[in-house]
Amino acid sequence: MLNKYARAFFTRVLTPFASMLLRWGVSPDAVTLIGTAGSVAGALVFFPRGEFFWGTITITLFIFSDLVDGNMARQAGTSSTWGAFLDSTLDRVADAAIFGGLALWYAGRGDNDLLCAIAVLCLASGQVVSYTKARAESLGLPCDVSGLVERAERLVITLVAAGLSGLHTFGVPYVEWLLPVALWLVGVGSVITVLQRMLTVRREAFEAALAARDS
Ligand SMILES: CCCCCCCC/C=C\CCCCCCCC(=O)OC[C@H](COP(=O)(O)O[C@@H]1[C@H](O)[C@H](OP(=O)(O)O)[C@@H](O)[C@H](O)[C@H]1O)OC(=O)CCCCCCC/C=C\CCCCCCCC
Ligand SMILES: Nc1ccn([C@@H]2O[C@H](COP(=O)(O)O)[C@@H](O)[C@H]2O)c(=O)n1
Ligand SMILES: [Mg+2]
Ligand SMILES: [Mg+2]
């Protein structure tokens, strides 16, 4: 949903910045790589120590590169198959670091086995959500459904909640429960999304088989 409705807004806002980077001679691939490296570092340096506020600020600064790289490639007319592969593959790396960093916190000083398991569920189910589409497309099926919780939702829900929960260390009361609630929402929502996509691909596969038999 966010991917559909927020993308146009962010394209307008980020286009001048993307043009500036192109004028400076920066390539879309460099933005993809630096954005991922920054997101991974932010997640793995801050989250396992329970520093959710600074972790979220760092990740948020870098994760917007994922909207800038494609914008740059389109403006420069250099959109490519390699670029699409690099973008999607490094998305998975950043997602793994974000939910892995949260799982490490709960496995360590956060000391909560259930929330550690839910963070791992978010990590695994989020990767499977993306895999369903990639595998369907490789089989020639469109997987023509977004589903309840796509990547933009997974990240916005988790990062907004982590950032606000992090304010607890500055003395803000009652915010620390936001992150556990967000992890439950993302975990359950991602499992539902996997099922939605699997059912869609099942229908598309049967329709394609029928069409092939009738032709
Ligand atoms: C008091 C403080 C309150 C703070 C409130 C902040 C509110 C912010 C609210 C909203 C921000 C909305 C941001 C919405 C951005 C959505 C943009 C978008 O559409 O992005 C789409 C993009 C996915 O694009 P790709 O095509 O590159 O990726 C594809 C995707 O990965 C597919 O995965 P799948 O969905 O299938 O699982 C793959 O299948 C496909 O291969 C792949 O190509 O998403 C992104 O790029 C992610 C950008 C996310 C932006 C995150 C923004 C973080 C926002 C808020 C952080 C707030 C921090 C608050 C700190 C508070 C501190 C007090
Ligand atoms: N290094 C890159 C990154 C992206 N692309 C192209 O942009 C598309 C993704 O657009 P986003 O707005 O989601 O970033 C991707 O499919 C590629 O076509 C690129 O060429 N090089
Ligand atoms: Mg991108
Ligand atoms: Mg991306």
Side-chain angles (χ1 to χ4, degrees), residues 41-113:
L44 294 183
V45 169
F46 292 106
F47 283 175
R49 298 200 302 220
E51 293 177 13
F52 297 129
F53 180 82
W54 292 115
T56 303
I57 296 292
T58 309
I59 295 165
T60 303
L61 284 176
F62 281 99
I63 206 126
F64 275 104
S65 67
D66 192 19
L67 296 169
V68 173
D69 55 3
N71 188 322
M72 289 171 69
R74 284 185 288 278
Q75 282 193 54
T78 58
S79 293
S80 63
T81 306
W82 160 249
F85 173 82
L86 182 72
D87 183 307
S88 294
T89 303
L90 294 192
D91 283 354
R92 306 289 83 79
V93 173
D95 293 358
I98 291 168
F99 290 104
L102 293 171
L104 284 173
W105 161 249
Y106 288 117
R109 282 198 292 130
D111 193 21
N112 189 319
D113 289 348

Side-chain angles (χ1 to χ4, degrees), residues 63-187:
I63 206 126
F64 275 104
S65 67
D66 192 19
L67 296 169
V68 173
D69 55 3
N71 188 322
M72 289 171 69
R74 284 185 288 278
Q75 282 193 54
T78 58
S79 293
S80 63
T81 306
W82 160 249
F85 173 82
L86 182 72
D87 183 307
S88 294
T89 303
L90 294 192
D91 283 354
R92 306 289 83 79
V93 173
D95 293 358
I98 291 168
F99 290 104
L102 293 171
L104 284 173
W105 161 249
Y106 288 117
R109 282 198 292 130
D111 193 21
N112 189 319
D113 289 348
L114 179 61
L115 287 175
C116 175
I118 298 300
V120 172
L121 173 70
C122 290
L123 195 168
S125 56
Q127 304 282 2
V128 178
V129 166
S130 307
Y131 178 80
T132 53
K133 192 166 220 114
R135 183 64 177 138
E137 287 172 352
S138 79
L139 292 167
L141 299 168
C143 187
D144 194 15
V145 62
S146 299
L148 189 62
V149 181
E150 290 184 283
R151 181 169 191 248
E153 284 83 8
R154 291 197 296 275
L155 291 179
V156 171
I157 294 170
T158 305
L159 291 176
V160 169
L164 291 173
S165 286
L167 293 175
H168 185 61
T169 49
F170 301 108
V172 178
Y174 308 123
V175 285
E176 67 278 15
W177 53 266
L178 285 170
L179 182 57
V181 171
L183 289 175
W184 274 100
L185 285 176
V186 170

